[in-house]
Amino acid sequence: MSIREVDFFVIGGGSGGVRAARIAAELGADVVLAEYAHLGGTCVNVGCVPKKLMVYAAQGAQEIDYARAYGWQQVSAGDFEWRDFIARKDAYLQRLRTSYQKTLENAGVEIVTGQASFTGTKTLAVGDQIFRAEHILIATGSTPFIPDVSGASAFGCVSSDMFALPQLPRELVIVGGGYIAVEFACIFRSFGVDVTLLYRGDLFLRGFDDDIRIHLAKEMREQGIDIYFNTTPTAIYPGAVELGDGKKIPSDCVLFAVGRVPLIAGLKLEKAGIICKDGAIEVDDLAATSAPGVYAIGDVTNYMNLTPVAIEQGQALAKRLFSGSTRPFKPEAIASAVFTNPPVGTVGLSEQQAQKLDNVPVKVYKSIIKPMKTGFIEKETRALVKLVVNGANERILGVHVVGPDAPEIIQLAATAIQLEARKPDFDDTVAVHPTLAEELVTLDEVPSA
């Protein structure tokens, strides 16, 4: 059997793999990319893109409600056509996949369809094709985890399933407390679904600033979402979820959003001598695995599982391998957003993380305000804006926002932290009024305790 020699072989057509393949090809490398499902990976097909489309759809009912309060008398919500939305969503995603394919092909990347698996340190098989590559990148992402709960596999759903439900559920139980769980809770509540959220810990969004977690829990309960902390299901039945105390919660759909695990099945990593730890591929600071010439990025390494992180890792690797770039991927701070209602934007250290730093006096500036848009119609919604500051040198350590446009606001806050901005830099910035973002540059009166 003939062996195809290539410069760069990429396993996985998600955002990180696509970026690495394209950059490498544009730099003159002979590149092959293998994907067994759809180009775009989790983000484009069953992740951030369709989820954000759901967020936009969910906002429709709220905006119609607001319009009436602002004086629009002939506005009517009508019925939300779930199947129409799903059809439009699918068509949109197909356009994105086509765009990915054209971009890769125009750059000179050869796309092969199928599961790639190692046959040796530098060799791989895809179906009946054999490839030998000087450099290999594993960018296969992750997959949802289903816990060992009676009935979970038979009657439960994972996040991927939520984008193809045949109809909206009447009663949805969500098990989990990460960003996927809270986002879907808000989305489906806005669609009129009765939502119950079960989380095993004291407070969801572990690792986020405590003020964010407390504030969002209050706002979600105000919307009518039932939240049970320190609670786990013991069994899933058709039509009900049973809790540890024997209580049964009615449900015609149960979503398990309890985490994701690196997707390494079928790769035959052992044939290349690639070491894993806790199910994730071990890499160094330059994304190198234990096998010479083999690299891994993104969720498969379980490092900062965010699409833009994988993209930047892939781009940095391709430039390092094929242009001689020595620039490492070491951002000062990585911003993230949670598309709940209200949304969250956060970057840098939480107050709790900052307090664990050695010899760093921490100052916290915080404001909880009623946004103008909802204040006008006398809704009880509140927004939170918070700065975590190094009291010794006034450097901004963290920025946290819960409220309208928080994800848009936090992007530029991330730039400020990347540039090591200080509290006086924020104070000296002229505010844009009236906006929620202006709170970031006017928090100079009284630090919170």
Side-chain angles (χ1 to χ4, degrees), residues 153-392:
S153 296
F155 306 116
C157 296
V158 294
S159 57
S160 306
D161 301 320
M162 304 306 287
F163 301 109
L165 293 174
Q167 60 189 23
L168 276 177
R170 298 181 306 276
E171 297 164 316
L172 170 65
V173 172
I174 300 175
V175 182
Y179 69 93
I180 294 174
V182 295
E183 286 176 337
F184 274 122
C186 292
I187 288 169
F188 280 88
R189 181 68 195 123
S190 295
F191 288 148
V193 176
D194 291 333
V195 177
T196 301
L197 180 68
L198 311 177
Y199 180 54
R200 64 182 180 179
D202 295 334
L203 198 58
F204 54 36
L205 290 181
R206 182 167 55 91
F208 284 69
D209 189 275
D210 282 354
D211 279 328
I212 287 177
R213 303 165 76 196
I214 294 168
H215 188 91
L216 184 61
K218 181 179 182 296
E219 292 291 323
M220 288 173 63
R221 281 179 167 136
E222 289 283 343
Q223 297 167 43
I225 298 171
D226 290 328
I227 302 175
Y228 291 75
F229 292 127
N230 298 305
T231 303
T232 55
T234 56
I236 311 298
Y237 303 103
V241 175
E242 184 174 86
L243 307 183
D245 59 2
K247 179 179 180 179
K248 290 186 178 180
I249 299 175
S251 174
D252 54 346
C253 183
V254 181
L255 166 63
F256 283 95
V258 292
R260 298 175 66 87
V261 293
L263 187 53
I264 59 175
L267 292 176
K268 299 182 181 179
L269 299 176
E270 68 281 357
K271 293 192 176 183
I274 297 170
I275 295 174
C276 293
K277 182 178 180 181
D278 298 327
I281 296 177
E282 276 199 312
V283 293
D284 63 16
D285 290 343
L286 297 178
T289 72
S290 55
V294 181
Y295 305 86
I297 61 170
D299 290 13
V300 77
T301 68
N302 202 26
Y303 167 76
M304 293 295 295
N305 297 340
L306 297 168
T307 294
V309 172
I311 290 173
E312 291 298 326
Q313 288 176 318
Q315 178 169 285
L317 175 66
K319 289 183 176 180
R320 191 162 63 247
L321 294 178
F322 299 106
S323 76
S325 170
T326 58
R327 182 182 179 186
F329 174 71
K330 287 187 176 180
E332 181 66 26
I334 297 173
S336 61
V338 186
F339 294 100
T340 42
N341 181 22
V344 173
T346 181
V347 62
L349 299 182
S350 69
E351 179 182 349
Q352 294 72 41
Q353 290 169 332
Q355 288 172 340
K356 294 178 181 178
L357 297 175
D358 293 333
N359 303 315
V360 175
V362 176
K363 289 183 179 180
V364 175
Y365 298 80
K366 182 173 63 175
S367 176
I368 297 177
I369 62 170
K370 182 177 287 189
M372 178 184 248
K373 183 176 182 178
T374 54
F376 176 80
I377 59 179
E378 300 182 356
K379 282 191 174 288
E380 292 304 312
T381 300
R382 295 290 189 275
L384 166 71
V385 178
K386 179 175 182 177
L387 297 179
V388 180
V389 178
N390 182 333

